[in-house]
Amino acid sequence: MLASDLPPGEKWRKFELRALGLRDFARVKGDQPLNPFALAHFANLIIVDFDQLKGLSDEARQHLLGPAVEKWSGGACTLPDGRKLVILNPTHGRSRTNATLMEEICHVFLGHQPNRLSVVTRDERGKVMSRDYRKADEEEAYGVGAASLVPYSSLKRFLRQGKASNQIAAHFRVSRELVEYRMKVTRLWNDYKNNVR
Ligand SMILES: [Zn+2]
């Protein structure tokens, strides 16, 4: 690997190295998109269909898919045998779901310990199942997950080729927002903005 394959900033370089390790583990090469669903199994994650959830009241279900639908993207809880159950918001598209699942996978691979095991206790506050880890762990899991989905060296190359963020997003099967977040944290954003104008 070349030093130029890593982004500036110590934290983001660390995240990138972890992400490259995950991509390696998933046998994803070069600019190939990473499919988190193919990795979930290795992280001991069981993905549960929202519609299969039992013990959720009709009110809770209607709340989660109605007024609160934009307020949660997924959640996880740990089973007694150490496996983790992950529930994904069924109304979010594949690109958002990929980022959500990748974050959950990263929590596992990074060895984060949840603060709590409860799954649906926070729905009245609209924060359902979304923050079960320490804030620093959340940042790391999201950052490493995003870097796994959109690696810096590919992002930089695509931008040099004149690709737009939505084209890059389509390639990696993530949202345009995630691609632009990656550009910002790896300091490619200003170049990109100057080029598109
Ligand atoms: Zn998280």
Side-chain angles (χ1 to χ4, degrees):
M1 192 190 2
L2 303 167
S4 59
D5 286 345
L6 295 176
E10 197 183 329
K11 182 174 76 182
W12 291 100
R13 216 168 287 150
K14 205 182 92 192
F15 287 1
E16 194 77 27
L17 285 169
R18 300 248 173 175
L20 291 174
L22 266 177
R23 286 177 65 82
D24 231 30
F25 178 77
R27 297 171 187 269
V28 179
K29 300 232 162 24
D31 299 335
Q32 284 176 358
L34 169 66
N35 177 7
F37 284 84
L39 258 184
H41 166 74
F42 295 105
N44 257 330
L45 291 184
I46 304 162
I47 298 161
V48 182
D49 205 25
F50 186 83
D51 299 324
Q52 293 175 328
L53 277 184
K54 302 243 191 312
L56 203 58
S57 68
D58 284 349
E59 288 83 2
R61 195 176 295 270
Q62 276 159 23
H63 180 71
L64 288 171
L65 295 180
V69 76
E70 281 304 310
K71 295 194 174 126
W72 70 285
S73 43
C77 67
T78 308
L79 299 174
D81 65 7
R83 288 181 302 169
K84 265 178 102 188
L85 278 184
V86 174
I87 301 141
L88 298 166
N89 189 321
T91 72
H92 291 181
R94 182 61 186 262
S95 60
R96 281 178 78 178
T97 300
N98 278 345
T100 304
L101 181 57
M102 201 57 225
E103 183 191 326
E104 293 302 335
I105 290 169
C106 285
H107 279 307
V108 174
F109 276 114
L110 297 168
H112 295 164
Q113 294 300 319
N115 281 334
R116 52 198 296 158
L117 302 178
S118 106
V119 180
V120 282
T121 50
R122 299 199 205 176
D123 59 337
E124 293 315 313
R125 287 192 279 147
K127 273 280 186 183
V128 185
M129 305 183 270
S130 57
R131 287 291 176 265
D132 285 335
Y133 295 90
R134 294 183 309 129
K135 204 159 168 263
D137 286 350
E138 290 299 346
E139 195 202 356
E140 186 182 29
Y142 189 78
V144 172
S148 310
L149 292 165
V150 184
Y152 174 72
S153 62
S154 305
L155 180 60
K156 199 166 66 167
R157 189 166 36 253
F158 285 164
L159 290 172
R160 284 206 182 130
Q161 292 167 2
K163 287 193 166 60
S165 51
N166 59 343
Q167 293 174 295
I168 300 170
H171 171 85
F172 287 117
R173 296 167 202 157
V174 297
S175 68
R176 184 174 57 86
E177 287 74 16
L178 186 92
V179 171
E180 296 188 347
Y181 158 81
R182 284 289 292 154
M183 285 188 216
K184 284 170 186 162
V185 299
T186 61
R187 302 187 204 160
L188 293 168
W189 178 250
N190 283 341
D191 285 349
Y192 175 67
K193 274 292 157 201
N194 292 336
N195 285 341
V196 288
R197 271 175 198 149

